[in-house]
Amino acid sequence: MADLKAKPRPTGATAVLGRTGFPHVTSVTKGELDIVTSPSQPGFNPLDLLYSSLSACLVLSARIAASQMGVLDRITELTADVTGEKATEGPSRVKKFNIAFGIKGDIDEETRQKIAHAAEDICTVSNTIRGKPEFAMAISG
C-alpha cells in the first residue's frame, strides 16, 4: 500500500428525507445533491453514488500512481467505468464490482496494468469496500 501524505479534508454527509419526496444530501463542505429513485428519473441513486465514489477514487489514484511512476506527463486521460451486480440471495448488497479502466496516452500495456493495479491499492474507497469497516451508530429523536 502506498504511503500518501495528503492535506486532510473534512469528509462526511447528511441525508434528510421527509415523509414524502426524495433524500437531499449535503456534504460537510456544503456540496449538495438530490437523490432519485425512479428508473426513468435522471440523477444519482444510492448505488450510483457508490459506483461514482469508486470510479472517482480510482482515476484520482491512477493519476497519483502515474505520477509516482514518472509517466504522468505521457497520460492524456484516465477513465474508470464502474458498474455492479447485486446479490440475489442474502442481505441486499453488491456482490461484484465491474471496473473498466481506460488509460490513454503514450504508454505501453505493461505500464497501463501497473497503473491500474497501483490505483486499486491506493484508492481509499476500494480499500474500504474490500475491508470490513465498523459501523458506529448513534440514534436520536
Side-chain angles (χ1 to χ4, degrees):
M1 190 168 347
D3 181 26
L4 301 175
K5 295 188 185 303
K7 180 180 177 183
R9 180 183 198 272
T11 59
T14 301
V16 178
L17 176 66
R19 187 176 307 138
T20 62
F22 302 101
H24 180 77
V25 180
T26 306
S27 73
V28 296
T29 58
K30 306 299 180 217
E32 293 188 40
L33 182 64
D34 288 314
I35 305 301
V36 300
T37 57
S38 169
S40 62
Q41 201 173 10
F44 289 92
N45 69 30
L47 278 179
D48 292 330
L49 293 175
L50 178 64
Y51 301 146
S52 298
S53 294
L54 180 55
S55 66
C57 188
L58 286 171
V59 295
L60 289 167
S61 297
R63 185 169 66 187
I64 291 168
S67 178
Q68 290 173 341
M69 293 176 189
V71 297
L72 183 58
D73 61 331
R74 298 183 353 222
I75 302 291
T76 58
E77 184 178 76
L78 300 161
T79 59
D81 183 10
V82 178
T83 60
E85 298 172 26
K86 286 188 76 174
T88 56
E89 296 179 10
S92 181
R93 69 194 187 285
V94 175
K95 72 173 185 174
K96 181 180 181 183
F97 289 91
N98 300 306
I99 303 164
F101 233 125
I103 304 172
K104 293 182 181 177
D106 184 23
I107 56 171
D108 59 31
E109 185 58 31
E110 181 181 350
T111 305
R112 279 186 183 83
Q113 293 290 325
K114 286 180 181 177
I115 290 170
H117 291 291
E120 203 174 0
D121 290 339
I122 293 168
C123 175
T124 300
V125 176
S126 65
N127 289 327
T128 301
I129 291 169
R130 268 198 216 91
K132 291 189 176 188
E134 294 179 32
F135 287 73
M137 188 179 303
I139 303 168
S140 65

